[in-house]
Amino acid sequence: MMARARLAAALIPATAILSCLRTESWDPCVQVVPNISYQCMELNLYKIPDNIPISTKMLDLSFNYLRHLGSHNFSSFPELQVLDLSRCEIKIIEDDTFQGLNHLSTLILTGNPIQSLAWGAFSGLSSLQKLVAVETNLVSLNDFPIGHLKTLKELNVAHNFIHSFKLPEYFSNLPNLEHLDLSNNKIQNIYYEDVKVLHQMPLLNLSLDLSLNPLDFIEPGTFKEIKLNGLTLRSNFNSSHVMKTCIQGLAGLKTNRLVLGEFKNERKLQRFDRSFLEGLCNLTIEQFRIAYLDKFSGDDTDLFNCLANVSVISLLSISLGSLQALLKDFRWQHLEITNCDFDKFPALKLSSLKKFVFTDNKDISTFTEFQLPSLQYLDLKRNHLSFKGCCSHTDFGTTNLKHLDLSFNDVITLGSNFMGLEQLEYLDFQHSTLKQINAFSAFLSLRNLRYLDISYTNIRIVFHGIFTGLVSLQTLKMAGNSFQNNLLPDIFTELTNLTVLDLSKCQLEQVAQTAFHSLSSLQVLNMSHNKLLSLDTFLYEPLHSLRILDCSFNRIMASKEQELQNLPRSLTWLNLTQNAFACVCEHQSFLQWVKDQRQLLVGAEQMMCAEPLDMENMPVLSFRNATCQLSKTIISVSVVTVLLVSVVGILVYKFYFHLMLLAGCKKYGRGESTYDAFVIYSSQDEDWVRNELVKNLEEGVPPFQLCLHYRDFIPGVAIAANIIQEGFHKSRKVIVVVSQHFIQSRWCIFEYEIAQTWQFLSSHAGIIFIVLQKLEKSLLRQQVELYRLLSRNTYLEWEDSVLGRHVFWRRLRKALLAGKPQSPEGTADAETNPQEATTST
């Protein structure tokens, strides 16, 4: 009790001090990279934390409450390179706020309702390259004080309230500006005067994004002789007519990349007039991309005539029907068609096309031959295409093909050995269904092939000459297939240059002893998710260059001691996790090897035993070799002995104070009690005990002698010993003062539990409960035994009224008098002065 009081006295001032501290002084930021990168997101900060080191280079303060940024606010971080102040409720940025940040390259102010931005707010940012001011209530570029940021490369002011496209004169001071994002503003009209500064900067390599602005008009000649690296206009026009007019207003523009169309979730045009592309004849374009335009009107006879000289064409989610009308003399070198709606596969005839990407397109199931004599790169993945008699140069109309991707399609029937495609270096069939691959040496002519992926192609390999001819192959992926009799045969004889081999999920149970003999250059081998029963290291002995071996998710139990010496010396990474290891003495040498090779074995801590049953799911590293020297009888006896000793020790420890009480009851059981009652109460209820309980009982008639810890405990004796020896052993009864503080006090509950034992051991003992205040049942139920006792037994309730006091003291004295030896004199006094005894306060 005394120690509890001292602890409370020490905690009160400490709590008061902590309550005065702001959260930012002690809420920790996440240390991403020590002394370099810190993340302080959503910490309810009102100022910059003081505990961020001066060497910090990346600081994320987003989603806090830094409403006012004053002068030199970040001068404590001179090494800062990236600063994120997104959504910090910033309203005011004063002059020289970022002064001293000479190395800052990226500043993000997204989502701040800025009301006051001083002209010198960005002074001192001599190295700034990227400034993001999205959603900052900006209404004009003229009011944005960035004219001195000569190193600026990227400016993003999207999602603001900018109405005019007029580029301020200070843009002439930004010679390095490469990207200007003005998307999702309020720009409606663009005039010649707006881009006058661009006419003065012919060498500026600027990419401009005006998407999601409600454009109505572009003055003709505005962009004449202006050169841009890129221009993006997506979801800008409310009608095809406006779109056509605005594109005509771009006449004379020279741009490396032009992007037109709409966004998937921002569709404005109900119907698309193909004639808008006519305006592109007056532009000089190197790369053209059009996205999310459908419901075309008219045919496609001359749709792309104005784009005949473009090098790169990209079509995303548009409805064309076909591309049959494309002329052979189009100079396209790169054509990308993604997620478009075609009636049939386009039979192209483009003599200059070198790269053709046709992916994720709808409603096409049959491949049609095309004539692309210059084609080197062909990507046809994810189209659900079927191929019959694949593949030869007649299918693609070229003998120059180096890259061919037919993955994620339907059925591909191999009918030729890639005749005329001898220059192929990359071939991908994954997740397509290959047929007739065992009928002949399909890859015989591909002597230049370096990458082959036939993973998950539903093939069962029977033909041992399947990879004949692949003498230059470096990477082979064949996961998810199967082999005859679940045996990996010697099929890699000619793959002497192979460096990566993936055989995962092939249901392998055995591997031929000569399967890897010719793979001396192999560096990575994946044998995971198979059914191998042992780690046969003789198999991997010829792999002199092997660095990574994955044998996880198999059924490996162990490996013989002599075999463990055969692993290649070059091996640096071995994964044996998720196997069925037998942690028995029979495999003691293997289990010891696992412990000795922790640096080699990745995830050695996750290697678990599968047997015997008593070690199931236990780490392999927990196996002890010493156990193999002990007999089962000795182990059993030892275990039983340890358990018994542990149980006895726990019982003695748990019931130590109860045993002390029992011993005391035998010692003091026949003697007279020194006190009438020992009072158990919370220190926070001490005022009531002193002013009410002690005053009325010890000064009343008859007087009762109470045992109180602050007065009657012997100094120098342990608190628990005082409670038992002075409190319980020398008292007739126990008074328990129950309150909310009592229930929440561990010391009070401890004393109450000892009181229960004391009542059980001492036949004349009794516990009197006094409830000081009404208690919530939910709180009382936290102490189950106390709740039951109060529910089943009569207790006293304190009521601070004249009648309540009278009844309370009369009932309490009566309870204390029970069993108390009384002298005739004391009895007489009690009988002649009843009024005094019951009304004393």
Side-chain angles (χ1 to χ4, degrees), residues 117 190 210 473 510 543 584 809:
L117 183 64
I190 300 177
L210 292 172
L473 197 65
Q510 303 177 65
L543 306 179
V584 294
W809 293 119

Side-chain angles (χ1 to χ4, degrees), residues 473-493:
L473 197 65
Q474 297 177 359
T475 299
L476 174 59
K477 296 184 178 181
M478 49 192 306
N481 293 300
S482 61
F483 293 83
Q484 187 177 29
N485 300 322
N486 294 330
L487 169 68
L488 177 65
D490 185 3
I491 57 175
F492 307 120
T493 305

Side-chain angles (χ1 to χ4, degrees), residues 282-346:
N282 299 317
L283 279 68
T284 303
I285 308 169
E286 187 67 24
Q287 302 178 32
F288 178 73
R289 179 179 177 86
I290 185 170
Y292 293 102
L293 290 178
D294 49 21
K295 298 183 179 179
F296 281 73
S297 62
D299 56 42
D300 60 356
T301 304
D302 55 358
L303 180 62
F304 296 104
N305 283 355
C306 289
L307 298 171
N309 295 321
V310 172
S311 296
V312 179
I313 292 284
S314 177
L315 309 176
L316 171 63
S317 295
I318 64 174
S319 178
L320 283 174
S322 67
L323 288 175
Q324 311 305 326
L326 294 180
L327 301 178
K328 291 183 179 180
D329 58 352
F330 277 18
R331 298 180 182 179
W332 294 357
Q333 296 185 21
H334 179 171
L335 174 59
E336 181 174 346
I337 303 175
T338 304
N339 195 30
C340 293
D341 189 8
F342 286 92
D343 298 331
K344 56 184 179 180
F345 191 89

Side-chain angles (χ1 to χ4, degrees), residues 399-411:
T399 58
N400 297 311
L401 203 60
K402 294 184 178 181
H403 181 109
L404 176 59
D405 190 341
L406 300 177
S407 61
F408 296 92
N409 278 292
D410 203 351
V411 178

Side-chain angles (χ1 to χ4, degrees), residues 651-691:
L651 291 174
V652 170
Y653 177 81
K654 182 173 181 63
F655 297 103
Y656 171 76
F657 295 109
H658 300 269
L659 294 173
M660 283 183 60
L661 191 62
L662 176 61
C665 285
K666 293 181 178 180
K667 179 178 180 181
Y668 298 100
R670 297 179 181 179
E672 293 185 359
S673 300
T674 306
Y675 306 100
D676 292 296
F678 171 50
V679 185
I680 301 175
Y681 63 95
S682 169
S683 60
Q684 298 193 44
D685 299 322
E686 190 165 312
D687 288 342
W688 183 88
V689 172
R690 287 175 180 263
N691 299 328

Side-chain angles (χ1 to χ4, degrees), residues 375-392:
L375 194 66
Q376 298 180 9
Y377 185 107
L378 178 59
D379 185 349
L380 298 176
K381 63 174 174 283
R382 296 191 182 93
N383 290 300
H384 303 289
L385 291 171
S386 294
F387 294 81
K388 296 181 180 180
C390 179
C391 299
S392 70

